[in-house]
Amino acid sequence: MNPFKLSFVLAMAAGAAVADPVTVDSCGASFTYDAPPSRAITLNQQATEVMLALGLQDRMVGTAYMDDAIPEQWRAAYDSVPVLAEKYPAAEVVLAQEPDFLFAGFGSAFSEDNLGAAQRWHDLGVGTYLADASCKDAHPKDVPLTQAPILRDIEVIGDIFGVADRADALIAETRARIDAVQNDPAGGGRTAFIYDSGTDTPYSIGCCGGPALLARTAGLHSISSEVHGTWIDLSWERVVAADPEVILLIEADWSTAADKRAYLENDPVLAELSAVRNGRYVVVPFSETLLGMRFADGVERVNAQLKALD
């Protein structure tokens, strides 16, 4: 037997038994789990945080590709899991951990430049799951997202790992928190420029990804809401013409909110935008714009800041 397949069989034998096999289709790639995985690797931060929120750190043998700091409530659990790489680990590094499950937040994890197609891992006996919001077939770039993908991720991971009760409780809590903001948004339909990064050309959001859903949930109207895609290039001329009422700054290691604010306030044209003159900024961490466990934190954070602006 292939030694890698043998390690999978042994890992499955060590895992807790489930009443019935669980078959999961993830973005067109199907895999059947005869027992809960015991050697999982997460390949992006939102995947890692779903696992930690479900208390599954003891089933993990590696993480990778963090965008910012893990929240305090999961820090101890996260610190108990080896970090395999700053970005995506090489396939050989992953194989050395003898995994039985790979969980990615972005489709790029399973590209040929990184770990290769999901089916290749399935052929080795390793299950895979791609965060539902990142499946382009399920969520075309011209169709706005809802909160459903993150709720599905929690449900599916709960089923795979045999912790459906934990998943049900987490789904109920997550849905309630997002719905509470959606039912009482503080944005009031105000126009907003969502500023991710860039100086020569501002990088912003289109109609249909997680950041756009966050803005809509808080009652904001993005000045680029009609443009297809999740992340897009805008022009400063368009921003100036729109003169948004609010500027939402995305906090990230590669482009801090403070740096973006300084750029706006030191440019003689952009400094005349009404939002800049009146200091009408809100700030949200990058990880809270993604449809992961911190999305509810993001909508609550933005909504609270919008209320404070009033």
Side-chain angles (χ1 to χ4, degrees), residues 43-278:
L43 300 167
N44 297 102
Q45 182 158 352
Q46 65 269 49
T48 299
E49 291 176 348
V50 171
M51 295 286 288
L52 299 180
L54 287 169
L56 295 171
Q57 62 273 8
D58 60 332
R59 314 283 190 90
M60 298 169 65
V61 295
T63 67
Y65 217 139
M66 306 303 289
D67 294 305
D68 50 40
I70 288 283
E72 186 60 34
Q73 72 263 34
W74 301 321
R75 169 58 63 179
Y78 173 75
D79 287 344
S80 71
V81 182
V83 176
L84 303 183
E86 182 179 348
K87 300 298 184 182
Y88 288 127
E92 293 77 11
V93 172
V94 172
L95 282 167
Q97 302 304 312
E98 299 187 346
D100 51 17
F101 181 68
L102 304 180
F103 182 7
F106 295 109
S108 55
F110 297 123
S111 71
E112 287 306 313
D113 290 337
N114 293 307
L115 297 181
Q119 188 57 53
R120 188 164 108 194
W121 292 93
H122 293 184
D123 292 342
L124 291 172
V126 181
T128 66
Y129 184 74
L130 173 65
D132 187 67
S134 293
C135 179
K136 295 178 181 179
D137 292 340
H139 304 287
K141 66 179 182 179
D142 57 347
V143 178
L145 282 176
T146 68
Q147 63 176 282
I150 180 54
L151 303 183
R152 180 177 189 269
D153 291 345
I154 298 169
E155 179 181 20
V156 170
I157 297 302
D159 286 344
I160 291 172
F161 284 86
V163 292
D165 289 348
R166 295 184 212 170
D168 289 345
L170 192 55
I171 287 168
E173 177 190 353
T174 302
R175 180 187 286 118
R177 291 174 63 192
I178 296 171
D179 286 349
V181 173
Q182 194 163 33
N183 293 335
D184 187 25
R190 286 178 286 193
T191 57
F193 164 48
I194 290 77
Y195 188 9
D196 174 78
S197 57
T199 52
D200 293 341
T201 300
Y203 199 48
S204 185
I205 68 167
C207 65
C208 298
L213 175 61
L214 183 147
R216 289 197 309 274
T217 301
L220 294 174
H221 178 73
S222 167
I223 63 171
S224 50
S225 61
E226 80 287 359
V227 181
H228 291 176
T230 300
W231 302 101
I232 62 170
D233 288 314
L234 284 183
S235 68
W236 287 120
E237 291 78 10
R238 179 167 181 157
V239 176
V240 170
D243 194 17
E245 297 169 82
V246 175
I247 296 175
L248 193 160
L249 303 172
I250 295 177
E251 179 68 64
D253 290 344
W254 58 89
S255 179
T256 68
D259 286 346
K260 288 187 280 281
R261 181 167 180 166
Y263 180 78
L264 292 168
E265 293 175 352
N266 289 309
D267 183 280
V269 175
L270 300 177
E272 292 304 311
L273 291 170
S274 59
V276 176
R277 285 189 287 104
N278 295 311

